[in-house]
Amino acid sequence: MRHLWARGFGRLHSDAEIITTDDGKQFLIAVVEFESRTLTNGKPYAQRVQFRSFDPDDMDAVNLLVEGTHVMFDGDCDAVADKSSTGWWYANPRITGRIHEILPSGHEY
């Protein structure tokens, strides 16, 4: 397998940001939420992925990418493994790609 590819449609959990690295390179970062529900134990749960883009068009649209906005995107995916404070291992998925469509909050789709 050469790489994993993902395509998704979800709601921005928070406003997107432009990050500048120490060497001056910039990229857009956002958290996209696909599902939000209450578990049987009463705790809230949400499936989220970190989305990154180096595409200048995506960075130009950062002011449109606010919490609640829906986006369609695709790109390469991977995950970072972390250990929770309770000792459970979990993976934080992330996508590096580009945005294809932006639907403002409240837009009917």
Side-chain angles (χ1 to χ4, degrees):
M1 177 179 355
R2 293 181 57 186
H3 69 278
L4 293 173
W5 183 80
R7 182 174 190 165
F9 179 80
R11 184 185 74 82
L12 292 182
H13 175 67
S14 55
D15 295 355
E17 299 178 54
I18 301 291
I19 304 295
T20 303
T21 62
D22 291 341
D23 61 357
K25 295 178 183 169
Q26 290 188 319
F27 64 95
L28 178 133
I29 192 165
V31 176
V32 181
E33 185 173 83
F34 295 97
E35 176 185 15
S36 183
R37 64 182 172 168
T38 302
L39 300 175
T40 55
N41 63 8
K43 293 184 179 181
Y45 168 84
Q47 178 63 52
R48 298 180 182 133
V49 298
Q50 181 186 78
F51 175 79
R52 302 179 299 175
S53 175
F54 294 89
D55 189 303
D57 291 338
D58 291 346
M59 288 186 267
D60 288 345
V62 71
N63 292 332
L64 300 174
L65 300 171
V66 296
E67 181 179 346
T69 299
H70 286 82
V71 293
M72 181 177 290
F73 59 90
D74 69 6
D76 294 325
C77 61
D78 63 1
V80 176
D82 288 316
K83 192 172 189 177
S84 72
S85 59
T86 59
W88 286 92
W89 283 94
Y90 62 95
N92 281 327
R94 61 185 180 185
I95 310 295
T96 302
R98 61 189 205 90
I99 295 172
H100 292 280
E101 191 169 352
I102 301 170
L103 297 172
S105 180
H107 186 278
E108 291 188 31
Y109 50 91

